[in-house]
Amino acid sequence: MKLKNKDVLGIEELTAEEIELILDTASDMKKIVLSPEKKAHYLRGKSVVTLFYENSTRTRVSFELAGKYMSADTVNVTAAGSSVQKGESLLDTGRTLDAMGTDIIVIRHSMAGAPHLLAKHVRASVINAGDGMHEHPTQALLDMFTIRERFGGFKGLKVAIIGDIYHSRVARSNIIGLCKMGAKPVVYGPATLMPDDIENMGASVAPSLKDALAGADVVMGLRVQLERQKKALFPTQAEYAKYFGINSENIELAGKNALLMHPGPVNRGVELTSKVVDSENSAINEQVTNGVAVRMALLYMLVGRE
Amino acid sequence: MRILIKNGVVVNKNECGMMNVLVEDGIITRIGQDISAQADEVIDAAGCYVLPGLVDAHCHLRDPGFEYKEDIVSGTRSAAMGGFTSVACMANTNPAADNKAVIGYIVDKARRYGAVHVFPVGAMTKGLKGEELAEIGEMKQAGIVGVSDDGSSVENSAVMKKVMQYANMFNVSIICHCEDSSLAEDGSINEGTVSTMMGLRGIPKACEEIMIARDLILSEYLNIPVHICHVTTALGVELIRNAKQRGVKVTAETCPHYFTLTEKACEGYNTLAKMNPPLRTEKDVEAIINGLCDGTIDIIATDHAPHHEDEKNVEFEKAAFGIIGFETALPLAYTALVKTGRLDIRQLVEKMCINPSAMLKIDKGELKVGKTADITIFNPEEKYAIDITKFVSKSKNSPFHGCPVYGRVTATIVAGRIVVKDGKLNI
């Protein structure tokens, strides 16, 4: 059960079969996460470095625990407090980690394509943990895992992705992945936060929030970064919540069993109301658990022993 | 010293035919069918075109200040390898070429060590900041042929108006880089499908078109001629076409990459295809070629922009904008435009010799008895793949490595000096 490529750079590079395989493997891994003795030995003697140029709590911790649950040695490097601050280039940092015998480098970077550049120049496998506005493949995989657990598959599912699509690597990876698996992603958000030609990626743009939500099987809210207000992308949080926020009224438009998802962290009262976040259909905490399982699956499939 | 070029097809604006060319002491003394004079050097140009030395209206020699990318010696040698005998270099050096001392340095170094004629372009504004006028009069005396803040636009329209009025008094060309930086934001490629898929901030076409429109309007209002640099978009071409129809005194240029590549060349985070303005779409490429064919675009320039490997082998958004072009421009233009029947060889000579000379107001661009012997011999039939490792330029930042092309410069003669011979540097 190996992946075709050395690296996991994006959903773009994965086939539908590989995605299924990763999700199948993640199902087994989830049992370990939920067991009282969270220890397997698949990665004993392997080293995993998380190299984070951007702040993150959940993704970094999720990868670190995923490695530890399988007995890998994990080390965390953040941009602050490393040679990066002394001006070391990405490639030099990568080569240094390579020379130390690292098996997997998990990288998060504010610039699109940084993991691809790194992967070309190191022996270690590279996992993209988010590159700029480009891709966040492990988030999309855990989202798809969550959807598959609920619906058993993807064919024909309407997945409404609402909010700041422009800056969202989560949206991009999900759109690519959901299209590959036969679901129908629909996006909606302020025109100022909608990227050019998003239809060419396979998503349809809904004319209104109502249209986006109507009959949706999955509703995915995206985090709106509040500092975007200063760049004239939306006027105020209150207006954003009024026209683009998901609340307990408009969520009714979606299917009765519609799954509510969000990659976190949530701005309560902006993109989602608290009531929606804490509702029965909210899968937000489940997503976090599934994240560990999916990351275990990837680490295992890249370097683990059978 | 006498050089006799035999059996080649001499190409000028209005004539094109098998002729011999005799050069004596740096001057063309005879062009005709039966010249049998004795010569110190006889070049057999059978099967080749004998062209006026190419004139590049837009390049960056990086000297002074960025000699690790290129300098006047390496840059002019690279130009000669590509068949250019005259180049106009932009002012974004360090220090900026915004005063007579820097211009004097460029002119002097080029005269002593340059392989081709160098015509510096001075800054429009001090420090290229777009605020105060540079000493355009002093720079004209020191040798500039034009002014430009190339690399960015003079954002403030009132300042731009004054630049045009003042520069026009000194009879220097007004060369406009058109970019509304507020719209460019932090973009690194064309805004569209590819930027969306790659997760990169886009530079909208409007960013270029708005500034083209502004500069055309100012030119029309003041009745002062302007030259628009590196046009890349369909609407940009249309704006210039309309202006020309109204009688606005405008010339325009594009570069080989804008009619041979699209934004797709950036896929895979290929920093070698990152440039400003960015590569656009198929539709724009077609519009650029149409603009060249109907005369809307007068000039093919290189925008030769050398960068060190370390400035390209980084994250895409961090990578420097620009590609080199001296050694690929003629084969690319010949392959994409002449070989395909869109332009004939005489029209290519207009775009790469005659029109740039006229825009820069320099006495170059044609083969004529009594003129300085700046001559390029080009074998149009040789087919090969571009090999960046063979470039003479200090930098290798070209996205055309491996690209199949027709045509190679076999000889370049600059003022009677054979600087490229048999396709190799002869200095």
Side-chain angles (χ1 to χ4, degrees), chain A residues 12 28 73 78 100 102 108 119 160 163 165 192 206 208 212 234 236 246 248 278 294:
Chain A
E12 184 72 49
D28 294 335
D73 292 304
T78 51
M100 292 176 181
T102 307
R108 166 166 290 189
I165 312 292
T192 45
S208 71
F234 65 94
T236 58
I246 299 161
S248 30
D278 302 326
V294 160

Side-chain angles (χ1 to χ4, degrees), chain B residues 60-346:
Chain B
H60 301 268
L61 296 177
R62 305 296 191 211
D63 190 352
F66 305 101
E67 293 87 347
Y68 67 96
K69 300 176 195 245
E70 194 83 284
D71 61 30
I72 286 169
V73 176
S74 65
T76 56
R77 288 179 177 192
S78 171
M81 285 296 287
F84 291 92
T85 56
S86 296
V87 300
C89 57
M90 290 296 155
N92 57 346
T93 49
N94 185 23
D98 66 352
N99 63 77
K100 66 177 178 186
V102 176
I103 298 299
Y105 161 84
I106 294 169
V107 168
D108 184 56
K109 186 166 176 183
R111 197 170 286 151
R112 284 166 194 258
Y113 308 111
V116 305
H117 308 291
V118 173
F119 295 94
V121 172
M124 287 173 167
T125 63
K126 289 186 190 122
L128 304 159
K129 289 199 177 108
E131 292 161 4
E132 294 174 37
L133 289 177
E135 291 173 336
I136 294 170
E138 292 271 27
M139 290 195 291
K140 164 81 179 183
Q141 216 175 337
I144 62 166
V145 292
V147 288
S148 182
D149 272 4
D150 183 61
S152 54
S153 279
V154 173
E155 294 278 337
N156 183 311
S157 301
V159 175
M160 189 60 179
K161 174 170 169 263
K162 285 157 198 160
V163 165
M164 289 185 186
Q165 290 172 310
Y166 191 74
N168 189 50
M169 293 181 67
F170 294 94
N171 196 31
V172 294
S173 301
I174 296 159
I175 301 172
C176 307
H177 168 112
C178 296
E179 174 184 358
D180 178 338
S181 69
S182 71
L183 271 174
E185 295 191 74
D186 300 318
S188 45
I189 66 170
N190 181 50
E191 182 167 87
T193 304
V194 176
S195 68
T196 293
M197 307 223 3
M198 290 174 70
L200 292 168
R201 279 165 220 277
I203 303 172
K205 293 174 190 177
C207 161
E208 180 176 338
E209 293 152 353
I210 284 175
M211 249 347 157
I212 291 177
R214 183 200 71 173
D215 289 348
L216 290 173
I217 291 166
L218 284 175
S219 163
E220 185 169 8
Y221 176 64
L222 299 169
N223 193 28
I224 289 172
V226 295
H227 174 69
I228 307 292
C229 288
H230 40 54
V231 178
T232 72
T233 78
L235 180 56
V237 175
E238 192 54 30
L239 290 167
I240 294 162
R241 185 176 288 128
N242 291 344
K244 283 189 166 186
Q245 280 161 3
R246 286 200 309 279
V248 180
K249 293 171 187 157
V250 56
T251 53
E253 86 195 17
T254 192
C255 311
H257 35 284
Y258 298 124
F259 56 77
T260 54
L261 296 176
T262 68
E263 55 185 351
K264 288 205 167 73
C266 299
E267 282 173 356
Y269 299 95
N270 179 13
T271 56
L272 292 177
K274 179 179 172 181
M275 63 198 74
N276 188 27
L279 295 171
R280 307 288 186 182
T281 66
E282 296 278 353
K283 187 177 137 253
D284 298 295
V285 166
E286 190 49 35
I288 295 291
I289 295 176
N290 288 335
L292 282 163
C293 293
D294 74 5
T296 302
I297 301 179
D298 308 271
I299 292 170
I300 298 171
T302 66
D303 199 1
H304 180 82
H307 288 296
H308 192 271
E309 189 187 348
D310 290 346
E311 294 164 309
K312 284 290 191 179
N313 203 8
V314 292
E315 296 88 326
F316 194 91
E317 286 163 82
K318 251 192 205 170
F321 286 100
I323 72 167
I324 55 172
F326 285 147
E327 294 170 69
T328 51
L330 182 56
L332 285 171
Y334 182 80
T335 306
L337 303 173
V338 181
K339 205 74 186 162
T340 55
R342 304 299 293 269
L343 295 184
D344 64 28
I345 186 75
R346 282 176 309 124

Side-chain angles (χ1 to χ4, degrees), chain B residues 26-46:
Chain B
I27 305 292
I28 298 172
T29 52
R30 286 175 72 189
I31 301 176
Q33 274 166 349
D34 37 25
I35 302 172
S36 52
Q38 288 289 316
D40 305 288
E41 186 91 41
V42 177
I43 298 175
D44 184 5

Side-chain angles (χ1 to χ4, degrees), chain A residues 166-188:
Chain A
Y166 183 85
H167 295 95
S168 180
R169 52 194 175 211
V170 175
R172 282 180 180 74
S173 283
N174 266 304
I175 290 168
I176 300 167
L178 290 166
C179 287
K180 283 189 180 181
M181 305 313 289
K184 290 186 289 189
V186 176
V187 296
Y188 183 75

Side-chain angles (χ1 to χ4, degrees), chain A residues 144-211:
Chain A
M144 289 192 280
F145 183 89
T146 310
I147 293 169
R148 197 180 77 162
E149 264 197 333
R150 168 69 70 96
F151 297 98
F154 300 95
K155 281 276 173 290
L157 291 182
K158 176 176 176 179
V159 181
I161 307 175
I162 312 291
D164 178 0
I165 312 292
Y166 183 85
H167 295 95
S168 180
R169 52 194 175 211
V170 175
R172 282 180 180 74
S173 283
N174 266 304
I175 290 168
I176 300 167
L178 290 166
C179 287
K180 283 189 180 181
M181 305 313 289
K184 290 186 289 189
V186 176
V187 296
Y188 183 75
T192 45
L193 293 170
M194 194 59 70
D196 241 43
D197 297 339
I198 187 76
E199 303 86 352
N200 292 347
M201 289 188 75
S204 55
V205 181
S208 71
L209 183 56
K210 278 184 182 169
D211 287 290

